[in-house]
Amino acid sequence: MTSRRHRTLSDLGMDGTQSLIIPQGLHDYSDAQVIMEHGQKAIFQKCIRSSVFGVEFYNSCPCLCFVTKGKEVFFTPTGEEIIVRAGEMILLPRNVFMVSNFSSTDGPLEALLFFFDNSVIREFERQSVHYYAQPASRIGAYKIDRHDSLSGFMRSITDIYKGIDGTRELLHTKLMELLFLVAAEDEPKRLKSFLHENCSDSGKRNIRHLMREHCSHNLSVHDYAHLSGRSVSAFNREFKRQYGVAPSRWLIEQRLTRAHDAVVSTDASITDIGFEIGYENTSHFISQFKTMFGITPKQLRLKQL
């Protein structure tokens, strides 16, 4: 059996059945290499050659991702798209499910990932207290544009520190240096909020990704709300904002579309098809099918003969 370390992040995208917990889970993939690591403090480099879509990941601690080559697209739990190109950086909050896409049409993706534990965050807050305002309201993922100082820092990481056995003190110092560089180029109040606060989207999953992966399962709206990390009312509200329709109606349409395909392409009985998509009452299934398609399942099948 092939060891997990021989898997790549592209394999995870094709799998689509689990979330990647980072930084811990990065050790299982050959295209993610440790530069320095002590506990939750870490610097990784990832180099992805093949396209990968729909990777859901969860940060167990705050992360700064700097793209050195290529382009990566991130989706927040609320469906916001954030495109990060070479020379740009995204700040990813702790305890948040996000989704990442990468297309190899523009070449490989290379990025540096910096993870911060509470000791780094507390020291940064202590040292910056005389210069920066108090944290603002809670903040989610956000992007920082190109800056020469940040690009120079990233080059030093790969040119000098890659391949050496960095001490805990060296790693701590480099993470602190990075935070002060970011604070100098960005709004300090925003950075402090990012580091200090638990994100308001904590524990929430991207709804579009969730529905794409699980819509074939006969789950209730309550089940989907639970999987998404939201209350039923919050799930209904966010779903309708993104899809323009209530989740109950959307699920019915998706299931009836699957039933339509099954009627046309299989020999399964109408009762079995209805049961397969969650209808225990065949008459109710036929009625809803006709309402949506203007024809009963039996009439549709006869038309195909």
Side-chain angles (χ1 to χ4, degrees):
M1 180 181 294
T2 303
S3 69
R4 293 192 68 185
R5 185 59 189 170
H6 288 97
R7 297 186 65 194
T8 67
L9 292 169
S10 298
D11 296 329
L12 183 65
M14 290 185 289
D15 184 347
T17 59
Q18 63 180 12
S19 298
L20 175 64
I21 309 300
I22 60 175
Q24 304 92 306
L26 292 174
H27 290 284
D28 294 330
Y29 298 91
S30 60
D31 42 7
Q33 301 292 328
V34 177
I35 294 179
M36 284 188 274
E37 181 181 33
H38 289 282
Q40 281 200 312
K41 293 195 293 279
I43 304 174
F44 279 80
Q45 183 179 37
K46 66 177 181 181
C47 303
I48 305 176
R49 307 298 175 189
S50 303
S51 296
V52 52
F53 299 99
V55 172
E56 184 179 57
F57 63 93
Y58 179 90
N59 291 327
S60 61
C61 56
C63 172
L64 277 69
C65 173
F66 183 92
V67 174
T68 55
K69 184 181 294 186
K71 178 181 73 175
E72 189 167 9
V73 182
F74 296 86
F75 297 91
T76 70
T78 58
E80 178 190 2
E81 178 184 271
I82 303 176
I83 301 174
V84 185
R85 297 177 174 84
E88 298 175 338
M89 171 186 287
I90 184 171
L91 287 84
L92 303 168
R94 61 161 64 94
N95 301 334
V96 171
F97 286 97
M98 294 188 64
V99 177
S100 168
N101 288 346
F102 159 66
S103 172
S104 62
T105 54
D106 298 325
L109 170 68
E110 296 184 6
L112 291 168
L113 306 173
F114 300 83
F115 297 93
F116 303 85
D117 70 358
N118 288 335
S119 68
V120 175
I121 295 171
R122 284 195 297 266
E123 183 172 347
F124 174 74
E125 290 183 326
R126 185 170 60 252
Q127 292 192 23
S128 63
V129 67
H130 299 300
Y131 303 99
Y132 305 127
Q134 290 300 310
S137 58
R138 292 179 178 179
I139 190 168
Y142 70 96
K143 186 176 77 171
I144 295 178
D145 294 329
R146 296 169 181 262
H147 292 284
D148 290 342
S149 61
L150 292 172
S151 297
F153 175 86
M154 300 304 165
R155 284 193 297 271
S156 74
I157 293 296
T158 54
D159 293 347
I160 300 174
Y161 299 105
K162 187 176 180 181
I164 71 170
D165 186 16
T167 64
R168 179 185 290 106
E169 291 75 17
L170 176 60
L171 174 58
H172 188 92
T173 299
K174 300 311 293 183
L175 292 176
M176 287 289 294
E177 180 183 354
L178 175 57
L179 289 179
F180 277 104
L181 284 173
V182 172
E185 301 291 2
D186 187 42
E187 300 174 21
K189 199 172 183 180
R190 183 167 63 168
L191 175 63
K192 292 195 72 174
S193 296
F194 167 81
L195 294 172
H196 183 74
E197 297 286 347
N198 285 318
C199 178
S200 59
D201 291 328
S202 179
K204 295 179 183 177
R205 300 176 70 177
N206 182 287
I207 287 179
R208 286 189 178 274
H209 179 77
L210 177 70
M211 301 310 293
R212 183 169 61 249
E213 295 297 326
H214 298 285
C215 69
S216 61
H217 302 156
N218 294 323
L219 302 176
S220 67
V221 172
H222 184 276
D223 292 330
Y224 283 113
H226 177 74
L227 287 173
S228 77
R230 296 168 174 83
S231 67
V232 174
S233 59
F235 176 78
N236 283 333
R237 184 168 56 251
E238 181 61 25
F239 189 101
K240 190 168 185 179
R241 186 188 72 80
Q242 293 193 36
Y243 285 88
V245 65
S248 55
R249 168 50 52 187
W250 187 88
L251 287 169
I252 289 172
E253 292 174 353
Q254 294 296 309
R255 288 166 182 167
L256 290 175
T257 298
R258 284 163 47 207
H260 184 284
D261 294 342
V263 169
V264 171
S265 61
T266 74
D267 295 326
S269 70
I270 303 304
T271 298
D272 287 345
I273 291 173
F275 185 79
E276 183 67 24
I277 64 167
Y279 285 87
E280 296 183 4
N281 186 310
T282 303
S283 297
H284 183 51
F285 162 57
I286 293 172
S287 174
Q288 289 211 321
F289 190 99
K290 185 175 182 180
T291 298
M292 181 167 174
F293 297 108
I295 190 173
T296 68
K298 183 177 180 180
Q299 291 169 337
L300 175 63
R301 179 165 282 172
L302 289 173
K303 285 182 63 176
Q304 307 303 310
L305 299 178

